[in-house]
Amino acid sequence: MTLDWIWDNAARIGELTAWHAALSVIPTVLGLLLAVPLGWWASRSARIYPLVIGGSGLLYTIPSIALFVLLPQVLGTKILDPLNVVVALTVYSIALLVRVIADGLASVPHDTVQAATAMGYRPWQRLWHVELPVAVPAIGGGLRVAVVSNVSIVTMAALLGIPQLGSLFTQGFSLRLTVPIVAGIVMCLVLSVVLDVLVHAVTRALTPWQQKAETA
Amino acid sequence: MITFEHVSKVYPDGTHAVHDLTFGAPSGRLTVLVGPSGCGKTTSMRMINRLIDPTEGVVSLDGQDTRSVDAIDLRRKIGYVIQSAGLFPHRTVVDNVAALPRLLGVGKKEARARALELLAKVGLDERFALRYPYQLSGGQQQRVGVARALATDPPFLLMDEPFSAVDPVVRTQLQDSFLQLQRDIGKTIVMVTHDIDEALKLGDQVAVFREGGTLAQVASPAELLAHPADPFVADFVGASRGYRALGFVEATATVQLADEAMVRLGARPADLGEVDGGWCVVVDDAEAPLGWVDLRTAGDVVEERHIDFSGTVARADGSLRDLLDAALSSPTGRGLVAGPDGRLRGSVGAAEVLRHLGRGREAEVAS
């Protein structure tokens, strides 16, 4: 049990990390795209809001293993198809992000929305040109939670044999080696931090109009 | 012309927000809707651009029923200014103003050039153009709000308490510069306010609402002060309305002005000889009055510290209220009057103003 194992397997760890990143990021992006219309719908009516938010919240309570096993039957995919993981994590991302979008849109100042309506913005123009841009800080915050949560859930896919950093856990377990497990955990942490910082940086870049803390 | 014909708004819970409203806001004029809170003035205004739909009756713009037009197209013909400006926080000042033209397909360059012109028109310095709304004061934001509402040069303008979120000094500035702007652009404006002073100052026509969403009186400000329709209007227009009514009576050439001795800063009282009562008007190099000086107590040389600044200066083409105020505030009882060029014309006493007012009254009774 030495660090040699890491050097010997560096290429494979890199490959697994790349897979892991892809399996975390793609579902987050897809989840965001699907959560926007759902969140918008929820934010438009006090009656629909609890239904949509409650319903999407329920999705998050489905155990991930169950979803991984169930999806091939629903989608007609092979059990080893990474698509299963992408779909499952997209479902979780939607569950997290619908609420973020709905609350983010609700946080847009009422005056701003009213002004846009009175100026003659159509509802979708108002959403695209005013509400979504103004909600970016709130949405960015939720996106960080979603992407980090995905990094963690992806590891479960190791139980199905889909390659990503979780594979190091199963390997370490079967070989009774601690180093692969620790290496997997460290890489997961690094990936989480990198993605978190990335989302944060993009959010900041998109919102030069936000009052900076030092001038407040 | 914006017309209301028997317009009512009843909410599902049975509340009457507006009841059988009939009146017109004439083209090119500023009509103010004023009344206590909950009187339906804001609801009425929002029915013009269909942010709220009436339960009964017809609202029309230049004879066209607003329900016969698509609500979005309707709103694009009507500029809208709200209390807190409601600017887009994510857009710079210039892009806030250019937003609607851009949405309607005007090129970026053209829209921004036009936005800069408008910002100059509402009195906002060009250096603010690239700032974000949070970097502006409330008064500056409101100027941007007005510019944005005018961006597509709409014939109509709705203003919802546009000047009430700023302090009194800034409010007066905004009101004055808006009045000047309106003289220039001549839009058909409906403005909502709860402040009767603002209504009387800005309105060509004032519509007073009472609780329950009914119209108490529609009249010009002078008419409202002179002939309130009922005790409610009289009470709402408020105390000292006799004095305020003077604000709508123009001073005319028939008001007799008395000549006053003038002295410049730095002058020596000894050189002036006898001055009646010892009081003398201090003027600057352009002969604009600064205040009064009592030559008996001034030293050898008239300096700024000797000046009594308490008196207001009325303009010869101002109102009787200005003249009377100048007389009442003057340490000598003689109000200073300056010409449109700012130069001292002379002084007027309170008795002369009242004598003039009395003559106006007699003429009104006779006619």
Side-chain angles (χ1 to χ4, degrees):
Chain A
M1 197 186 99
T2 58
L3 289 177
D4 291 346
W5 181 90
I6 292 177
W7 298 124
D8 296 344
N9 293 276
R12 182 156 169 271
I13 294 173
E15 198 178 309
L16 291 176
T17 308
W19 268 106
H20 201 108
L23 288 175
S24 312
V25 171
I26 294 170
T28 312
V29 173
L30 290 175
L32 179 65
L33 293 178
L34 291 166
V36 166
L38 281 170
W40 185 46
W41 187 39
S43 75
R44 283 171 66 87
S45 151
R47 242 181 333 159
I48 297 169
Y49 181 89
L51 292 177
V52 176
I53 300 298
S56 58
L58 271 181
L59 292 177
Y60 204 73
T61 62
I62 305 172
S64 50
I65 285 289
L67 208 51
F68 290 151
V69 176
L70 210 64
L71 275 173
Q73 297 176 39
V74 179
L75 300 172
T77 44
K78 294 207 173 79
I79 191 114
L80 278 177
D81 195 331
L83 188 64
N84 301 323
V85 180
V86 170
V87 172
L89 289 180
T90 301
V91 168
Y92 289 131
S93 298
I94 292 172
L96 282 175
L97 291 174
V98 167
R99 175 179 226 122
V100 169
I101 298 280
D103 294 351
L105 293 177
S107 77
V108 176
H110 180 71
D111 289 334
T112 306
V113 179
Q114 198 201 50
T117 308
M119 284 164 73
Y121 277 71
R122 295 185 189 281
W124 64 267
Q125 288 172 327
R126 198 180 68 196
L127 175 70
W128 183 249
H129 291 291
V130 180
E131 292 174 284
L132 275 179
V134 175
V136 161
I139 295 172
L143 211 53
R144 288 165 76 179
V145 174
V147 77
V148 168
S149 141
N150 279 349
V151 168
S152 160
I153 301 176
V154 167
T155 56
M156 300 299 288
L159 296 174
L160 306 178
I162 293 164
Q164 30 69 38
L165 289 170
S167 311
L168 295 177
F169 302 161
T170 46
Q171 188 186 17
F173 184 72
S174 56
L175 298 177
R176 299 190 181 275
L177 280 176
T178 320
V179 173
I181 296 175
V182 173
I185 292 172
V186 169
M187 286 316 289
C188 277
L189 280 173
V190 170
L191 192 60
S192 295
V193 172
V194 167
L195 290 174
D196 183 70
V197 168
L198 201 67
V199 174
H200 185 56
V202 170
T203 308
R204 287 292 290 264
L206 286 175
T207 56
W209 48 271
Q210 267 220 301
Q211 199 156 352
K212 303 292 186 293
E214 60 267 23
T215 58
Chain B
M1 179 93 170
I2 300 171
T3 40
F4 285 76
E5 288 164 81
H6 303 290
V7 173
S8 293
K9 177 68 190 177
V10 185
Y11 283 103
D13 65 357
T15 335
H16 278 260
V18 175
H19 184 70
D20 196 23
L21 187 65
T22 300
F23 81 102
S27 297
R29 295 301 172 85
L30 202 166
T31 298
V32 182
L33 314 184
V34 68
S37 54
C39 67
K41 56 188 190 292
T42 307
T43 306
S44 301
M45 192 193 72
R46 290 185 181 163
M47 287 194 282
I48 297 170
N49 64 352
R50 287 181 55 191
L51 286 178
I52 297 174
D53 280 318
T55 321
E56 266 176 66
V58 176
V59 181
S60 45
L61 299 185
D62 291 336
Q64 188 176 35
D65 185 342
T66 50
R67 280 170 311 183
S68 68
V69 208
D70 174 54
I72 304 288
D73 293 332
L74 177 76
R75 289 172 192 157
R76 289 175 180 177
K77 287 200 303 187
I78 307 174
Y80 195 75
V81 182
I82 58 179
Q83 183 178 352
S84 49
L87 299 180
F88 299 146
H90 62 301
R91 300 257 174 89
T92 58
V93 164
V94 65
D95 285 339
N96 259 281
V97 180
L100 189 57
R102 292 279 295 125
L103 192 75
L104 302 181
V106 178
K108 199 175 216 166
K109 236 181 172 173
E110 197 186 331
R112 281 188 175 162
R114 166 102 180 109
L116 286 174
E117 276 171 38
L118 276 168
L119 287 170
K121 232 177 185 172
V122 298
L124 197 73
D125 198 284
E126 203 173 294
R127 69 199 154 93
F128 294 107
L130 294 180
R131 296 201 188 169
Y132 286 103
Y134 82 88
Q135 296 168 307
L136 304 186
S137 70
Q140 290 164 341
Q141 290 192 19
Q142 202 51 266
R143 286 178 194 271
V144 180
V146 172
R148 184 177 64 175
L150 295 172
T152 54
D153 199 20
F156 306 98
L157 201 56
L158 304 182
M159 308 180 85
D160 187 2
E161 308 241 0
F163 308 125
S164 44
V166 291
D167 67 66
V169 176
V170 174
R171 186 179 314 147
T172 306
Q173 288 171 359
L174 288 176
Q175 289 170 342
D176 291 343
S177 71
F178 184 73
L179 270 180
Q180 207 158 2
L181 182 68
Q182 166 64 359
R183 269 196 284 273
D184 188 27
I185 58 179
K187 300 289 181 195
T188 305
I189 304 175
V190 171
M191 178 188 287
V192 163
T193 182
H194 62 266
D195 178 357
I196 183 68
D197 289 312
E198 181 168 84
L200 294 173
K201 177 178 178 179
L202 299 180
D204 295 308
Q205 173 181 272
V206 178
V208 183
F209 283 66
R210 70 172 102 234
E211 276 109 345
T214 56
L215 202 53
Q217 188 173 3
V218 186
S220 71
E223 176 72 10
L224 213 56
L225 287 162
H227 306 290
D230 59 25
F232 171 80
V233 178
D235 189 45
F236 190 75
V237 172
S240 70
R241 55 183 177 270
Y243 180 60
R244 288 197 304 201
L246 290 181
F248 297 97
V249 185
E250 275 178 37
T252 61
T254 54
V255 176
Q256 296 285 323
L257 298 186
D259 288 335
E260 287 291 342
M262 289 188 279
V263 59
R264 285 174 206 271
L265 279 177
R268 294 175 170 280
D271 303 341
L272 292 169
E274 270 315 289
V275 175
D276 181 37
W279 284 100
C280 192
V281 184
V282 185
V283 294
D284 65 10
D285 290 337
E287 289 192 6
L290 299 172
W292 291 88
V293 66
D294 187 347
L295 296 179
R296 288 162 303 188
T297 56
D300 293 339
V301 175
V302 176
E303 292 171 24
E304 193 166 32
R305 66 191 166 91
H306 298 128
I307 303 177
D308 184 320
F309 292 104
S310 60
T312 55
V313 178
R315 277 175 51 134
D317 56 351
S319 65
L320 288 187
R321 178 178 171 170
D322 300 336
L323 291 181
L324 187 60
D325 190 74
L328 294 177
S329 62
S330 167
T332 64
R334 311 199 293 272
L336 294 179
V337 182
D341 55 356
R343 289 168 59 169
L344 180 67
R345 283 271 186 87
S347 70
V348 66
E352 168 64 14
V353 178
L354 297 179
R355 192 180 65 79
H356 188 76
L357 181 67
R359 261 198 273 158
R361 282 270 159 78
E362 283 161 26
E364 194 181 325
V365 172
S367 62

mmCIF file of all heavy atoms in Angstrom, chain B residues 293-331:
data_model
loop_
_atom_site.group_PDB
_atom_site.id
_atom_site.type_symbol
_atom_site.label_atom_id
_atom_site.label_comp_id
_atom_site.label_asym_id
_atom_site.label_seq_id
_atom_site.Cartn_x
_atom_site.Cartn_y
_atom_site.Cartn_z
ATOM 1 N N VAL B 293 -29.948 95.656 3.278
ATOM 2 C CA VAL B 293 -28.934 96.047 4.246
ATOM 3 C C VAL B 293 -29.444 97.305 4.975
ATOM 4 O O VAL B 293 -30.051 98.186 4.364
ATOM 5 C CB VAL B 293 -27.561 96.287 3.575
ATOM 6 C CG1 VAL B 293 -27.606 97.487 2.627
ATOM 7 C CG2 VAL B 293 -26.475 96.489 4.631
ATOM 8 N N ASP B 294 -29.227 97.331 6.279
ATOM 9 C CA ASP B 294 -29.590 98.516 7.056
ATOM 10 C C ASP B 294 -28.348 99.381 7.167
ATOM 11 O O ASP B 294 -27.405 99.045 7.879
ATOM 12 C CB ASP B 294 -30.087 98.093 8.447
ATOM 13 C CG ASP B 294 -30.631 99.271 9.224
ATOM 14 O OD1 ASP B 294 -30.400 100.431 8.784
ATOM 15 O OD2 ASP B 294 -31.263 99.039 10.270
ATOM 16 N N LEU B 295 -28.358 100.496 6.424
ATOM 17 C CA LEU B 295 -27.154 101.320 6.349
ATOM 18 C C LEU B 295 -26.775 101.928 7.702
ATOM 19 O O LEU B 295 -25.632 102.292 7.919
ATOM 20 C CB LEU B 295 -27.342 102.425 5.298
ATOM 21 C CG LEU B 295 -27.516 101.917 3.873
ATOM 22 C CD1 LEU B 295 -27.731 103.078 2.915
ATOM 23 C CD2 LEU B 295 -26.321 101.081 3.434
ATOM 24 N N ARG B 296 -27.771 102.006 8.607
ATOM 25 C CA ARG B 296 -27.468 102.588 9.917
ATOM 26 C C ARG B 296 -26.578 101.662 10.733
ATOM 27 O O ARG B 296 -25.818 102.097 11.580
ATOM 28 C CB ARG B 296 -28.753 102.869 10.683
ATOM 29 C CG ARG B 296 -29.547 104.047 10.108
ATOM 30 C CD ARG B 296 -30.961 104.025 10.596
ATOM 31 N NE ARG B 296 -31.630 102.778 10.265
ATOM 32 C CZ ARG B 296 -32.932 102.564 10.441
ATOM 33 N NH1 ARG B 296 -33.697 103.483 10.979
ATOM 34 N NH2 ARG B 296 -33.465 101.415 10.093
ATOM 35 N N THR B 297 -26.719 100.347 10.491
ATOM 36 C CA THR B 297 -25.924 99.411 11.293
ATOM 37 C C THR B 297 -24.747 98.846 10.517
ATOM 38 O O THR B 297 -23.858 98.235 11.105
ATOM 39 C CB THR B 297 -26.792 98.250 11.803
ATOM 40 O OG1 THR B 297 -27.402 97.631 10.672
ATOM 41 C CG2 THR B 297 -27.865 98.750 12.754
ATOM 42 N N ALA B 298 -24.747 99.011 9.188
ATOM 43 C CA ALA B 298 -23.604 98.525 8.417
ATOM 44 C C ALA B 298 -22.397 99.388 8.731
ATOM 45 O O ALA B 298 -22.535 100.526 9.179
ATOM 46 C CB ALA B 298 -23.925 98.595 6.916
ATOM 47 N N GLY B 299 -21.234 98.843 8.495
ATOM 48 C CA GLY B 299 -20.012 99.598 8.793
ATOM 49 C C GLY B 299 -19.719 100.609 7.690
ATOM 50 O O GLY B 299 -20.611 101.062 6.973
ATOM 51 N N ASP B 300 -18.455 100.889 7.503
ATOM 52 C CA ASP B 300 -18.048 101.845 6.480
ATOM 53 C C ASP B 300 -18.235 101.280 5.080
ATOM 54 O O ASP B 300 -18.437 102.022 4.128
ATOM 55 C CB ASP B 300 -16.562 102.219 6.684
ATOM 56 C CG ASP B 300 -16.370 103.003 7.978
ATOM 57 O OD1 ASP B 300 -17.384 103.571 8.443
ATOM 58 O OD2 ASP B 300 -15.256 103.004 8.504
ATOM 59 N N VAL B 301 -18.111 99.958 5.003
ATOM 60 C CA VAL B 301 -18.223 99.295 3.707
ATOM 61 C C VAL B 301 -19.309 98.231 3.808
ATOM 62 O O VAL B 301 -19.385 97.508 4.805
ATOM 63 C CB VAL B 301 -16.876 98.642 3.310
ATOM 64 C CG1 VAL B 301 -17.033 97.859 2.015
ATOM 65 C CG2 VAL B 301 -15.787 99.698 3.192
ATOM 66 N N VAL B 302 -20.177 98.092 2.776
ATOM 67 C CA VAL B 302 -21.232 97.073 2.787
ATOM 68 C C VAL B 302 -20.618 95.714 2.449
ATOM 69 O O VAL B 302 -20.048 95.534 1.359
ATOM 70 C CB VAL B 302 -22.351 97.408 1.777
ATOM 71 C CG1 VAL B 302 -23.376 96.291 1.731
ATOM 72 C CG2 VAL B 302 -23.007 98.728 2.143
ATOM 73 N N GLU B 303 -20.687 94.787 3.398
ATOM 74 C CA GLU B 303 -20.144 93.454 3.168
ATOM 75 C C GLU B 303 -21.256 92.426 3.249
ATOM 76 O O GLU B 303 -22.363 92.736 3.719
ATOM 77 C CB GLU B 303 -19.076 93.131 4.223
ATOM 78 C CG GLU B 303 -17.830 94.001 4.074
ATOM 79 C CD GLU B 303 -16.885 93.807 5.251
ATOM 80 O OE1 GLU B 303 -16.962 92.743 5.886
ATOM 81 O OE2 GLU B 303 -16.091 94.723 5.520
ATOM 82 N N GLU B 304 -20.951 91.194 2.804
ATOM 83 C CA GLU B 304 -21.963 90.154 2.740
ATOM 84 C C GLU B 304 -22.595 89.902 4.107
ATOM 85 O O GLU B 304 -23.782 89.660 4.215
ATOM 86 C CB GLU B 304 -21.355 88.866 2.197
ATOM 87 C CG GLU B 304 -22.439 87.850 1.819
ATOM 88 C CD GLU B 304 -21.892 86.709 0.977
ATOM 89 O OE1 GLU B 304 -20.722 86.347 1.175
ATOM 90 O OE2 GLU B 304 -22.652 86.182 0.150
ATOM 91 N N ARG B 305 -21.770 90.017 5.191
ATOM 92 C CA ARG B 305 -22.292 89.707 6.520
ATOM 93 C C ARG B 305 -23.328 90.723 6.987
ATOM 94 O O ARG B 305 -24.053 90.497 7.933
ATOM 95 C CB ARG B 305 -21.143 89.593 7.530
ATOM 96 C CG ARG B 305 -20.391 90.882 7.781
ATOM 97 C CD ARG B 305 -19.120 90.635 8.560
ATOM 98 N NE ARG B 305 -18.250 91.797 8.513
ATOM 99 C CZ ARG B 305 -18.289 92.788 9.421
ATOM 100 N NH1 ARG B 305 -19.126 92.738 10.414
ATOM 101 N NH2 ARG B 305 -17.465 93.814 9.299
ATOM 102 N N HIS B 306 -23.420 91.852 6.328
ATOM 103 C CA HIS B 306 -24.416 92.852 6.699
ATOM 104 C C HIS B 306 -25.780 92.577 6.074
ATOM 105 O O HIS B 306 -26.765 93.201 6.442
ATOM 106 C CB HIS B 306 -23.965 94.254 6.253
ATOM 107 C CG HIS B 306 -22.699 94.701 6.907
ATOM 108 N ND1 HIS B 306 -21.611 95.165 6.200
ATOM 109 C CD2 HIS B 306 -22.334 94.710 8.209
ATOM 110 C CE1 HIS B 306 -20.626 95.451 7.029
ATOM 111 N NE2 HIS B 306 -21.036 95.180 8.266
ATOM 112 N N ILE B 307 -25.805 91.680 5.074
ATOM 113 C CA ILE B 307 -27.046 91.490 4.307
ATOM 114 C C ILE B 307 -28.069 90.661 5.084
ATOM 115 O O ILE B 307 -27.735 89.648 5.699
ATOM 116 C CB ILE B 307 -26.760 90.790 2.951
ATOM 117 C CG1 ILE B 307 -25.733 91.601 2.153
ATOM 118 C CG2 ILE B 307 -28.042 90.638 2.152
ATOM 119 C CD1 ILE B 307 -25.331 90.963 0.845
ATOM 120 N N ASP B 308 -29.324 91.117 5.043
ATOM 121 C CA ASP B 308 -30.442 90.347 5.583
ATOM 122 C C ASP B 308 -31.037 89.554 4.410
ATOM 123 O O ASP B 308 -31.574 90.120 3.465
ATOM 124 C CB ASP B 308 -31.486 91.315 6.159
ATOM 125 C CG ASP B 308 -32.622 90.578 6.825
ATOM 126 O OD1 ASP B 308 -33.050 89.538 6.271
ATOM 127 O OD2 ASP B 308 -33.096 91.039 7.885
ATOM 128 N N PHE B 309 -30.901 88.213 4.482
ATOM 129 C CA PHE B 309 -31.330 87.371 3.353
ATOM 130 C C PHE B 309 -32.760 86.861 3.505
ATOM 131 O O PHE B 309 -33.189 86.006 2.746
ATOM 132 C CB PHE B 309 -30.399 86.159 3.204
ATOM 133 C CG PHE B 309 -29.008 86.513 2.765
ATOM 134 C CD1 PHE B 309 -27.953 86.517 3.659
ATOM 135 C CD2 PHE B 309 -28.755 86.828 1.437
ATOM 136 C CE1 PHE B 309 -26.666 86.825 3.256
ATOM 137 C CE2 PHE B 309 -27.469 87.145 1.023
ATOM 138 C CZ PHE B 309 -26.416 87.155 1.930
ATOM 139 N N SER B 310 -33.506 87.349 4.526
ATOM 140 C CA SER B 310 -34.783 86.703 4.847
ATOM 141 C C SER B 310 -35.862 86.869 3.783
ATOM 142 O O SER B 310 -36.734 86.022 3.649
ATOM 143 C CB SER B 310 -35.299 87.235 6.193
ATOM 144 O OG SER B 310 -35.472 88.639 6.094
ATOM 145 N N GLY B 311 -35.792 87.931 3.014
ATOM 146 C CA GLY B 311 -36.871 88.172 2.053
ATOM 147 C C GLY B 311 -36.760 87.315 0.808
ATOM 148 O O GLY B 311 -35.660 87.049 0.328
ATOM 149 N N THR B 312 -37.912 86.833 0.296
ATOM 150 C CA THR B 312 -37.889 86.118 -0.981
ATOM 151 C C THR B 312 -37.976 87.154 -2.101
ATOM 152 O O THR B 312 -38.413 88.275 -1.878
ATOM 153 C CB THR B 312 -39.074 85.144 -1.109
ATOM 154 O OG1 THR B 312 -40.286 85.885 -0.913
ATOM 155 C CG2 THR B 312 -38.991 84.043 -0.080
ATOM 156 N N VAL B 313 -37.537 86.745 -3.281
ATOM 157 C CA VAL B 313 -37.603 87.640 -4.428
ATOM 158 C C VAL B 313 -38.653 87.103 -5.396
ATOM 159 O O VAL B 313 -38.594 85.952 -5.814
ATOM 160 C CB VAL B 313 -36.234 87.732 -5.134
ATOM 161 C CG1 VAL B 313 -36.338 88.631 -6.366
ATOM 162 C CG2 VAL B 313 -35.178 88.260 -4.172
ATOM 163 N N ALA B 314 -39.644 87.942 -5.725
ATOM 164 C CA ALA B 314 -40.682 87.510 -6.668
ATOM 165 C C ALA B 314 -40.305 87.944 -8.068
ATOM 166 O O ALA B 314 -39.567 88.919 -8.241
ATOM 167 C CB ALA B 314 -42.014 88.133 -6.265
ATOM 168 N N ARG B 315 -40.798 87.214 -9.043
ATOM 169 C CA ARG B 315 -40.565 87.643 -10.423
ATOM 170 C C ARG B 315 -41.745 88.486 -10.884
ATOM 171 O O ARG B 315 -42.891 88.219 -10.526
ATOM 172 C CB ARG B 315 -40.381 86.433 -11.336
ATOM 173 C CG ARG B 315 -38.955 85.900 -11.293
ATOM 174 C CD ARG B 315 -38.827 84.651 -12.110
ATOM 175 N NE ARG B 315 -39.368 84.834 -13.460
ATOM 176 C CZ ARG B 315 -38.728 84.432 -14.562
ATOM 177 N NH1 ARG B 315 -37.572 83.836 -14.472
ATOM 178 N NH2 ARG B 315 -39.281 84.582 -15.750
ATOM 179 N N ALA B 316 -41.451 89.496 -11.654
ATOM 180 C CA ALA B 316 -42.494 90.418 -12.095
ATOM 181 C C ALA B 316 -43.585 89.683 -12.869
ATOM 182 O O ALA B 316 -44.743 90.081 -12.860
ATOM 183 C CB ALA B 316 -41.891 91.512 -12.959
ATOM 184 N N ASP B 317 -43.216 88.561 -13.530
ATOM 185 C CA ASP B 317 -44.220 87.794 -14.281
ATOM 186 C C ASP B 317 -44.689 86.579 -13.474
ATOM 187 O O ASP B 317 -45.271 85.654 -14.010
ATOM 188 C CB ASP B 317 -43.656 87.351 -15.637
ATOM 189 C CG ASP B 317 -42.375 86.544 -15.475
ATOM 190 O OD1 ASP B 317 -41.850 86.483 -14.335
ATOM 191 O OD2 ASP B 317 -41.902 85.969 -16.472
ATOM 192 N N GLY B 318 -44.425 86.585 -12.156
ATOM 193 C CA GLY B 318 -44.848 85.478 -11.301
ATOM 194 C C GLY B 318 -46.298 85.625 -10.876
ATOM 195 O O GLY B 318 -47.071 86.363 -11.496
ATOM 196 N N SER B 319 -46.677 84.934 -9.790
ATOM 197 C CA SER B 319 -48.061 84.979 -9.332
ATOM 198 C C SER B 319 -48.191 85.960 -8.173
ATOM 199 O O SER B 319 -47.199 86.387 -7.587
ATOM 200 C CB SER B 319 -48.482 83.593 -8.863
ATOM 201 O OG SER B 319 -47.730 83.230 -7.725
ATOM 202 N N LEU B 320 -49.426 86.303 -7.851
ATOM 203 C CA LEU B 320 -49.669 87.180 -6.707
ATOM 204 C C LEU B 320 -49.155 86.551 -5.422
ATOM 205 O O LEU B 320 -48.734 87.229 -4.506
ATOM 206 C CB LEU B 320 -51.173 87.483 -6.585
ATOM 207 C CG LEU B 320 -51.773 88.418 -7.631
ATOM 208 C CD1 LEU B 320 -53.210 88.736 -7.267
ATOM 209 C CD2 LEU B 320 -50.963 89.706 -7.756
ATOM 210 N N ARG B 321 -49.176 85.199 -5.388
ATOM 211 C CA ARG B 321 -48.671 84.509 -4.203
ATOM 212 C C ARG B 321 -47.185 84.802 -3.990
ATOM 213 O O ARG B 321 -46.734 85.048 -2.877
ATOM 214 C CB ARG B 321 -48.897 83.012 -4.351
ATOM 215 C CG ARG B 321 -48.365 82.192 -3.188
ATOM 216 C CD ARG B 321 -48.683 80.734 -3.409
ATOM 217 N NE ARG B 321 -48.011 79.906 -2.420
ATOM 218 C CZ ARG B 321 -48.250 78.621 -2.261
ATOM 219 N NH1 ARG B 321 -49.146 78.017 -3.021
ATOM 220 N NH2 ARG B 321 -47.607 77.932 -1.369
ATOM 221 N N ASP B 322 -46.442 84.803 -5.109
ATOM 222 C CA ASP B 322 -45.013 85.102 -5.017
ATOM 223 C C ASP B 322 -44.802 86.527 -4.522
ATOM 224 O O ASP B 322 -43.939 86.792 -3.679
ATOM 225 C CB ASP B 322 -44.337 84.933 -6.388
ATOM 226 C CG ASP B 322 -44.464 83.520 -6.921
ATOM 227 O OD1 ASP B 322 -44.641 82.605 -6.085
ATOM 228 O OD2 ASP B 322 -44.395 83.337 -8.145
ATOM 229 N N LEU B 323 -45.590 87.452 -5.062
ATOM 230 C CA LEU B 323 -45.453 88.854 -4.670
ATOM 231 C C LEU B 323 -45.774 89.033 -3.187
ATOM 232 O O LEU B 323 -45.044 89.690 -2.454
ATOM 233 C CB LEU B 323 -46.389 89.728 -5.505
ATOM 234 C CG LEU B 323 -46.067 89.891 -6.990
ATOM 235 C CD1 LEU B 323 -47.087 90.801 -7.658
ATOM 236 C CD2 LEU B 323 -44.670 90.457 -7.186
ATOM 237 N N LEU B 324 -46.896 88.405 -2.779
ATOM 238 C CA LEU B 324 -47.313 88.553 -1.390
ATOM 239 C C LEU B 324 -46.270 87.940 -0.458
ATOM 240 O O LEU B 324 -45.929 88.499 0.584
ATOM 241 C CB LEU B 324 -48.680 87.892 -1.184
ATOM 242 C CG LEU B 324 -49.327 88.112 0.180
ATOM 243 C CD1 LEU B 324 -49.552 89.598 0.433
ATOM 244 C CD2 LEU B 324 -50.659 87.370 0.282
ATOM 245 N N ASP B 325 -45.748 86.796 -0.856
ATOM 246 C CA ASP B 325 -44.746 86.132 -0.026
ATOM 247 C C ASP B 325 -43.486 86.984 0.097
ATOM 248 O O ASP B 325 -42.888 87.083 1.165
ATOM 249 C CB ASP B 325 -44.390 84.762 -0.609
ATOM 250 C CG ASP B 325 -43.551 83.968 0.359
ATOM 251 O OD1 ASP B 325 -44.117 83.477 1.359
ATOM 252 O OD2 ASP B 325 -42.325 83.854 0.144
ATOM 253 N N ALA B 326 -43.119 87.631 -1.002
ATOM 254 C CA ALA B 326 -41.939 88.500 -0.972
ATOM 255 C C ALA B 326 -42.174 89.645 0.025
ATOM 256 O O ALA B 326 -41.311 89.961 0.842
ATOM 257 C CB ALA B 326 -41.657 89.043 -2.368
ATOM 258 N N ALA B 327 -43.373 90.207 -0.031
ATOM 259 C CA ALA B 327 -43.688 91.321 0.867
ATOM 260 C C ALA B 327 -43.709 90.862 2.323
ATOM 261 O O ALA B 327 -43.154 91.513 3.207
ATOM 262 C CB ALA B 327 -45.033 91.930 0.476
ATOM 263 N N LEU B 328 -44.349 89.684 2.571
ATOM 264 C CA LEU B 328 -44.495 89.209 3.946
ATOM 265 C C LEU B 328 -43.159 88.792 4.547
ATOM 266 O O LEU B 328 -42.950 88.892 5.752
ATOM 267 C CB LEU B 328 -45.473 88.026 3.997
ATOM 268 C CG LEU B 328 -46.928 88.348 3.631
ATOM 269 C CD1 LEU B 328 -47.770 87.085 3.657
ATOM 270 C CD2 LEU B 328 -47.507 89.393 4.583
ATOM 271 N N SER B 329 -42.242 88.318 3.710
ATOM 272 C CA SER B 329 -40.972 87.807 4.245
ATOM 273 C C SER B 329 -39.904 88.909 4.325
ATOM 274 O O SER B 329 -38.843 88.697 4.882
ATOM 275 C CB SER B 329 -40.465 86.650 3.381
ATOM 276 O OG SER B 329 -40.212 87.100 2.059
ATOM 277 N N SER B 330 -40.184 90.031 3.747
ATOM 278 C CA SER B 330 -39.172 91.090 3.711
ATOM 279 C C SER B 330 -39.028 91.769 5.065
ATOM 280 O O SER B 330 -40.025 92.043 5.736
ATOM 281 C CB SER B 330 -39.563 92.119 2.653
ATOM 282 O OG SER B 330 -38.772 93.277 2.798
ATOM 283 N N PRO B 331 -37.804 92.069 5.480
ATOM 284 C CA PRO B 331 -37.598 92.756 6.770
ATOM 285 C C PRO B 331 -38.180 94.173 6.742
ATOM 286 O O PRO B 331 -38.428 94.764 7.780
ATOM 287 C CB PRO B 331 -36.080 92.780 6.925
ATOM 288 C CG PRO B 331 -35.540 92.609 5.551
ATOM 289 C CD PRO B 331 -36.529 91.790 4.802
#
